[in-house]
Amino acid sequence: MPIQLESPRLILDEVTAQDVHAIHRYASDPEVVRYQNWGPNTFQQTEEFVQQVLQWQYENPRRYYVLAIRKKGQQRMLGAVSLEIDEQLPYAAFGFSLARDMWGQGFATEAALRLITHVEERMPLTRLTASCDCRNVASQKVLRKCGFKSMGVIHQHMMLRDGMRDTMLFELPLRAAAAAASS
Ligand SMILES: CC(C)(COP(=O)(O)OP(=O)(O)OC[C@H]1O[C@@H](n2cnc3c(N)ncnc32)[C@H](O)[C@@H]1OP(=O)(O)O)[C@@H](O)C(=O)NCCC(=O)NCCS
């Protein structure tokens, strides 16, 4: 089932082949990928990513969700929120990215909260996990505003373009799961 979610200012829906240019705009921006172990993308890398995302939409059961973030009434994709469901456990890794000209307006938090509500209402998951570079203050703020708690740091965890990255780990036990566990 294709997903389409609405929040006060945003629509979150499935990525289409037409989104490749908008995705490339932010995936090729060195500032956007500064704390990531991928990018800045070549156009070919973005095309391959989009092909992969389109294939994931048809998997059954579906493990990977990359949802486009769009402003209501506008087609342009501003960024994405994502879920990667664990193969064995009822957990999913949560992520988000936004084009640089859209930062600082609360869009990532709004999109993330909407996806979390959807997960709580519709998916049999008990926990979301997330991780980010310890220097990525904006990402940590978004996660904390969504209720994620920091679980600690893995030092020297990942090689980035400017050296090794210390990674902060986060988790969010899901409300429905927590309520069931305590009843
Ligand atoms: C992380 C990201 C998605 C945040 O998007 P956003 O829409 O700007 O986030 P929001 O506006 O919802 O919230 C960001 C918060 O961080 C703050 N912030 C932004 N940049 C900051 C910085 N460099 N230092 C400290 N705080 C910062 C904002 O003021 C805001 O806090 P506030 O609500 O207390 O005012 C965006 O910066 C991004 O796409 N970064 C590149 C990709 C990335 O790092 N993704 C996460 C990977 S784990």
Side-chain angles (χ1 to χ4, degrees), residues 16 51 60-61 68 70 89 108 112 114-116 131 162 164 166 170:
T16 73
Q51 282 311 314
N60 191 11
R70 309 180 204 275
L89 299 168
R114 183 64 189 90
L115 180 56
I116 291 167
S131 62
D162 62 350
M164 293 296 280
D166 291 346
F170 287 84

Side-chain angles (χ1 to χ4, degrees), residues 23-142:
I23 294 175
H24 189 60
R25 235 180 105 239
Y26 67 81
S28 60
D29 180 340
E31 274 302 304
V32 171
V33 300
R34 183 166 170 199
Y35 300 122
Q36 316 289 348
N37 62 354
W38 56 270
N41 275 7
T42 61
F43 190 68
Q44 187 183 339
Q45 286 170 322
T46 302
E47 281 185 310
E48 285 166 7
F49 171 71
V50 172
Q51 282 311 314
Q52 178 68 81
V53 169
L54 298 179
Q55 281 174 24
W56 285 334
Q57 292 169 357
Y58 291 97
E59 276 185 1
N60 191 11
R62 187 169 173 185
R63 276 191 61 215
Y64 297 93
Y65 295 80
V66 177
L67 297 181
I69 304 173
R70 309 180 204 275
K71 275 194 211 167
K72 278 184 182 168
Q74 294 180 17
Q75 201 46 41
R76 181 192 149 198
M77 183 171 161
L78 316 179
V81 279
S82 64
L83 285 177
E84 177 184 345
I85 297 175
D86 192 274
E87 264 179 303
Q88 278 146 11
L89 299 168
Y91 302 167
F94 188 74
F96 38 78
S97 289
L98 211 60
R100 205 186 330 168
D101 59 340
M102 293 292 137
W103 291 1
Q105 300 170 64
F107 288 133
T109 304
E110 184 173 325
L113 284 170
R114 183 64 189 90
L115 180 56
I116 291 167
T117 305
H118 175 77
V119 170
E120 289 198 304
E121 289 172 355
R122 300 291 170 90
M123 293 183 169
L125 298 176
T126 60
R127 182 179 305 184
L128 294 179
T129 62
S131 62
C132 67
D133 191 309
C134 287
R135 299 166 297 178
N136 194 346
V137 178
S139 175
Q140 289 163 39
K141 281 198 158 188
V142 172

